[in-house]
Amino acid sequence: MIPIISIVGRSNTGKTTLIEKLVPELSRRGYRVAVIKHAARGFEIDREGKDSWRYKKAGTYKIVLISPKELALMEVFEREYNVEELMDLYIKDADVVLLEGHKDNPYPMIEMLRKGVEPLPWDGKEHQLIAFVGDKSQDAGIPHFHVDEIQKLADFLEERYLRR
């Protein structure tokens, strides 16, 4: 089973930046890293007038864009897929999956903390919290890493979740 780690926190706490730093460190250590980003407000990856945009407007439910080195899939669906469904459908060969967001899931979570930003309310999910990352300290008996301690965070994740 592929380990899944959620990076959670309020808006503008640095979730994307942390993942952006963590992916190359884990990759350097030989791990294939996949990322699933939850976009609660939706997103748009295509521009008006481009072929794939035109196909979508015409009613196509699934579009695959392929080039010599990249593939993108756009799919219109009736309901949001959960993480397990996404894993079954699209992620089969990763060594670890980092989720950005998805705070309502059963996976281990790292919360991003920033000075001046309230931490998330945990409401019974405290057992999923494995670490804090950020410039704000949280006294909860849980490991805390500064945003620049990527190697230490990677060591922690490797030791607890990624050892082969």
Side-chain angles (χ1 to χ4, degrees):
M1 184 158 172
I2 301 171
I4 301 170
I5 309 293
S6 284
I7 311 298
V8 300
R10 300 222 186 252
S11 292
N12 298 313
T13 54
K15 297 180 296 290
T16 300
T17 301
L18 176 66
I19 291 171
E20 186 178 39
K21 291 178 177 182
L22 195 52
V23 167
E25 179 61 27
L26 293 172
S27 297
R28 184 185 66 74
R29 295 174 186 217
Y31 297 102
R32 290 180 57 124
V33 182
V35 174
I36 298 173
K37 178 178 174 57
H38 188 253
R41 295 179 199 100
F43 62 90
E44 189 173 313
I45 63 168
D46 210 2
R47 286 181 278 154
E48 187 172 338
K50 291 292 187 181
D51 293 350
S52 52
W53 178 88
R54 292 170 58 195
Y55 300 147
K56 186 176 171 185
K57 284 298 234 188
T60 302
Y61 86 100
K62 196 176 281 191
I63 303 161
V64 177
L65 304 172
I66 187 82
S67 75
K69 293 190 178 205
E70 294 178 306
L71 176 141
L73 170 69
M74 294 188 301
E75 182 177 350
V76 178
F77 46 83
E78 297 295 317
R79 63 170 179 79
E80 184 176 356
Y81 290 137
N82 63 41
V83 174
E84 292 80 15
E85 290 170 319
L86 290 170
M87 297 288 290
D88 287 344
L89 289 168
Y90 306 115
I91 302 175
K92 301 194 185 320
D93 59 351
D95 295 313
V96 61
V97 174
L98 301 177
L99 301 179
E100 181 177 336
H102 288 278
K103 60 185 172 236
D104 295 322
N105 71 62
Y107 305 109
M109 295 186 191
I110 297 170
E111 182 177 358
M112 296 298 300
L113 298 174
R114 290 287 190 207
K115 290 178 184 168
V117 179
E118 282 295 312
L120 293 172
W122 282 96
D123 303 329
K125 289 189 171 244
E126 294 85 357
H127 64 283
Q128 291 174 241
L129 193 58
I130 60 169
F132 292 110
V133 173
D135 59 7
K136 176 182 177 181
S137 183
Q138 188 79 352
D139 185 26
I142 295 171
H144 182 275
F145 301 91
H146 189 272
V147 292
D148 294 326
E149 295 181 311
I150 297 302
Q151 289 181 333
K152 286 183 181 179
L153 178 59
D155 290 344
F156 171 78
L157 294 175
E158 191 171 37
E159 185 177 301
R160 285 188 66 182
Y161 300 98
L162 306 178
R163 286 280 179 205
R164 295 181 180 130

